[in-house]
Amino acid sequence: MSALGTHEHRHISPTPETAEAPGVSPIRALWSVFGDRRRPLVLAVVLRALAAACMGVPVAVIAWSVEQIRTENLTQNDALGASAVVVAAVAGQYLLWFGANHLAWVSTFHAVGEGRIDALRHVERLPVGTVAARGSGDISAVLGADHEQIALFAHAGLMNLVGGAALPVATLAGLAVVDPLLAGVTALSIVAAAPVFVLVNRAFAEQSLSRADTLAEANGRIVKYVQGIATARSFHQVGPRLIWYREAVARMRAVNDALAVRITPLAYVSIGVVFLGVPLVVAGCGYGLLGGQVDAFTAVVFLVVVLRVYTPLVQVAVEAEALRLTDASLQRIARLRSLAPQSFPARETAWPVGHELTFEKVRFGYRADQPVLSDIDFAAAPGTTTALVGPSGAGKSTLLALAARFHDPDAGTVRLGGVPLTDLTQDQLFDAVTVVFQDVYLFQGTIRDNIALGRPEATDEEVQAAARAARCHDFVSALPDGYATRIGEGGQTLSGGERQRLSIARAILKNAPVVLLDEPTSALDPLNEQAIQAALGELTAGRTVLVVAHRLSTIRDADQILVLDSGRIAQRGRHEHLLSRPGMYRRLWSERERAANWRLNT
């Protein structure tokens, strides 16, 4: 991570473990996610319920037939008609089932795909610090696993839930025609199991959100481990020694144990209470037969059909569990989308005059009670270089982040050409400012794609001209595929100096009038540093430049040096002026001179 991100993990945005998800019912949240795709999903639910109702038609036909046989009124035409009704019901059931599944699949995958894109666009509008505070694991889980859970439930689980609930209702309705009292006895166990089911559902909802958050954290740690596997192996922090990852897995196991040990038995209790209806129906039939209130044909119907009422409810219980997992995913998506985006004007209302960058009484902190910068007041004129120096933690990179509007100040104003950054549109701001980080990130794709990141419409000649200015054309041309060479994620197939020069090439190609440099030469060998210093000369010529400097020798010719200490500007001036006066700058320079004379004692 670049220096601009070193403090951003302490941003006041809620972490996945502590944030409160908005209190929205899962069905309402699902309704919101589907947007314009709601109508086909609703139609799919209706068709699935009708398909389940068709499954109850044979029960009603059997009950009617039994009654006709008992009263000796069944004719051949009645039998043929009953058979035709059953065949039509079965055929209708499959047609409705097919239509429901088709609509559910199509609407679900369109809605979830659009939802992923919308969520990603929302992330793009968030302040950079807020995104860093969420963590890559949490955001990738929301965009990936959480949306996948919604897709799985909406096209399959929801249909099974509706079908599993509609079939017992249809069957009970048919049984009520035969004998209302026995139908009431059949429904009694379902009523008794309802409170247990509600209790289990509530407990599972709480654990599901905790499980999803813990899984996101564990996945984030896996990603970090893979990215840093070389470092982990070099320090023998792999396998059982990988404590920081094992802790996340242990929390995951604890959450799953809570689901399995405490909640699953309760779920089985609710199912068991439902199936207590079987002996109740048997007892009711026996009592009715002995008392003469129930005839043998009716008893046979109830004894044969009773499991058709209870068995689908097991599927309802299973899909209710999936509903809670989906509810957790919906809450996590809603939690991400509830983060306030960084606001920009919809259209241009102010136009900067020139490209002077000014800070006016700026105060900022990642926590409200811990300011990182206080009373920052300076101006960086066009065509000049302003260097930011000071000890670690003084606020240098944070100041650079405010200039790029990765954060907004808590107080005071940052202006570009006399206009507050908050009054500029995204295009105005991003066209005016470019940042070269200390730790370069290159995206998967070709070298040309990475150079042209800021100007995708650039011609090959313009890309190569920027590469020449950044002193990277020679090593790119020497690659087997030249500018079409594909690089791995993060640019790990290139050296640090090569990645840095490519990042300068894309900044040169972007041609922004304001350049922010986060010490791009601090960790390079002398040859690479010399090449990059020459490239930076091409990049910064005639521009407004802010540079965070750790190597003081690189900013001797800066037009203005700001010395930061504990978030305040302790000194300001040119190199010779600051060196001639007692203070932090002279102490830093003395330390630099002493370090330069360090030798290995043999």
Side-chain angles (χ1 to χ4, degrees):
M1 178 172 290
S2 72
L4 290 181
T6 54
H7 297 289
E8 289 165 1
H9 293 288
R10 299 179 297 184
H11 196 271
I12 58 176
S13 297
T15 63
E17 293 78 6
T18 60
E20 292 293 333
V24 179
S25 70
I27 299 302
R28 183 177 176 185
L30 193 66
W31 183 260
S32 174
V33 167
F34 268 72
D36 295 337
R37 306 286 176 179
R38 297 167 185 163
R39 184 173 295 178
L41 182 66
V42 171
L43 182 57
V45 169
V46 171
L47 293 180
R48 189 65 177 86
L50 291 175
C54 286
M55 296 176 68
V57 170
V59 177
V61 172
I62 291 172
W64 178 84
S65 300
V66 167
E67 179 63 19
Q68 295 302 105
I69 293 171
R70 186 180 67 81
T71 58
E72 299 181 352
N73 291 323
L74 186 66
T75 66
Q76 184 177 7
N77 289 335
D78 291 338
L80 291 174
S83 299
V85 170
V86 170
V87 170
V90 172
Q93 169 197 332
Y94 281 103
L95 287 174
L96 291 167
W97 181 86
F98 176 81
N101 277 9
H102 176 74
L103 286 171
W105 272 78
V106 172
S107 62
T108 293
F109 286 105
H110 276 98
V112 170
E114 292 162 1
R116 276 196 175 106
I117 294 173
D118 289 343
L120 181 59
R121 286 174 176 166
H122 181 73
V123 170
E124 291 173 345
R125 293 193 296 268
L126 296 175
V128 173
T130 301
V131 175
R134 302 303 302 180
S136 59
D138 182 62
I139 292 177
S140 63
V142 170
L143 296 175
D146 289 327
H147 279 84
E148 191 64 29
Q149 174 62 37
I150 293 172
L152 182 64
F153 177 75
H155 84 262
L158 182 60
M159 297 299 103
N160 292 334
L161 186 64
V162 171
L167 179 57
V169 172
T171 306
L172 278 172
L175 291 176
V177 174
V178 179
D179 191 309
L181 184 59
L182 277 180
V185 172
T186 306
L188 187 63
S189 63
I190 299 175
V191 175
V196 181
F197 179 78
V198 171
L199 176 65
V200 173
N201 203 33
R202 187 176 302 160
F204 198 90
E206 297 173 357
Q207 292 295 327
S208 295
L209 183 58
S210 176
R211 178 182 181 275
D213 286 338
T214 306
L215 179 61
E217 181 190 2
N219 287 340
R221 293 194 176 193
I222 290 175
V223 171
K224 291 178 181 177
Y225 171 66
V226 172
Q227 291 175 339
I229 193 168
T231 302
R233 291 182 63 179
S234 66
F235 287 92
H236 196 36
Q237 292 299 312
V238 295
R241 294 175 179 268
L242 202 60
I243 297 175
W244 56 271
Y245 174 64
R246 291 177 61 202
E247 290 174 348
V249 174
R251 286 196 293 275
M252 171 65 70
R253 184 171 61 244
V255 173
N256 286 331
D257 286 348
L259 289 173
V261 176
R262 294 201 297 269
I263 299 175
T264 303
L266 286 176
Y268 281 113
V269 168
S270 63
I271 295 172
V273 172
V274 168
F275 276 93
L276 284 177
V278 175
L280 281 176
V281 171
V282 171
C285 289
Y287 181 81
L289 280 171
L290 292 176
Q293 294 91 353
V294 177
D295 58 76
F297 283 105
T298 300
V300 169
V301 169
F302 272 86
L303 292 177
V304 170
V305 176
V306 65
L307 289 180
R308 197 174 180 86
V309 176
Y310 298 140
T311 302
L313 294 177
V314 177
Q315 184 66 37
V316 171
V318 171
E319 297 304 338
E321 177 179 327
L323 174 61
R324 300 328 310 187
L325 292 173
T326 304
D327 184 20
S329 293
L330 287 166
Q331 289 188 63
R332 285 171 46 77
I333 293 170
R335 187 169 61 191
L336 177 66
R337 295 181 71 95
S338 69
L339 297 174
Q342 197 168 30
S343 61
F344 287 89
R347 57 187 179 83
E348 294 184 6
T349 57
W351 293 267
V353 178
H355 297 98
E356 183 178 55
L357 192 64
T358 59
F359 280 63
E360 300 173 357
K361 304 297 181 185
V362 168
R363 186 181 75 249
F364 174 77
Y366 298 99
R367 296 176 59 93
D369 58 339
Q370 295 180 5
V372 176
L373 294 172
S374 300
D375 297 322
I376 301 298
D377 203 344
F378 73 93
T384 66
T385 297
T386 298
L388 309 174
V389 303
S392 297
K396 304 183 296 297
S397 294
T398 300
L399 192 151
L400 217 62
L402 292 175
R405 211 189 163 199
F406 291 167
H407 306 282
D408 289 326
D410 299 325
T413 307
V414 182
R415 297 179 184 272
L416 177 62
V419 178
L421 296 188
T422 52
D423 291 344
L424 299 177
T425 65
Q426 281 186 302
D427 288 343
Q428 283 180 303
L429 177 62
F430 297 148
D431 288 347
V433 178
T434 190
V435 184
V436 177
F437 296 104
Q438 176 182 343
D439 296 329
V440 178
Y441 190 87
L442 301 178
F443 294 91
Q444 283 186 329
T446 66
I447 287 179
R448 186 200 184 284
D449 293 339
N450 274 276
I451 294 176
L453 188 65
R455 279 183 60 201
E457 74 282 0
T459 65
D460 290 342
E461 291 75 17
E462 290 172 327
V463 169
Q464 293 182 22
R468 287 189 176 90
R471 309 304 192 267
C472 57
H473 176 74
D474 290 343
F475 85 78
V476 172
S477 300
L479 295 171
D481 297 320
Y483 286 88
T485 301
R486 301 190 68 84
I487 55 179
E489 183 178 0
Q492 297 303 314
T493 56
L494 303 175
S495 72
E498 289 169 340
R499 292 197 301 271
Q500 192 63 268
R501 278 179 273 174
L502 286 178
S503 74
I504 295 173
R506 67 188 179 194
I508 291 174
L509 184 62
K510 183 179 178 181
N511 196 29
V514 178
V515 178
L516 309 177
L517 302 174
D518 188 19
E519 188 49 274
T521 64
S522 63
L524 299 176
D525 60 83
L527 291 178
N528 267 313
E529 181 180 357
Q530 184 178 6
I532 289 175
Q533 287 287 7
L536 289 174
E538 296 276 356
L539 172 62
T540 59
R543 292 173 170 82
T544 306
V545 180
L546 254 66
V547 55
V548 171
H550 297 102
R551 293 187 180 183
L552 299 185
S553 58
T554 62
I555 48 92
R556 294 182 63 164
D557 298 326
D559 300 284
Q560 176 180 215
I561 298 173
L562 304 180
V563 184
L564 273 67
D565 184 21
S566 300
R568 297 177 181 273
I569 299 178
Q571 291 179 285
R572 70 179 76 204
R574 292 180 64 89
H575 170 73
E576 296 80 5
H577 170 76
L578 294 173
L579 202 59
S580 66
R581 296 172 177 270
M584 177 169 289
Y585 187 82
R586 192 158 76 177
R587 292 198 303 272
L588 291 172
W589 187 265
S590 297
E591 291 295 329
R592 178 257 175 198
E593 291 292 320
R594 189 171 65 176
N597 294 323
W598 181 86
R599 296 291 184 273
L600 181 65
N601 187 355
T602 57

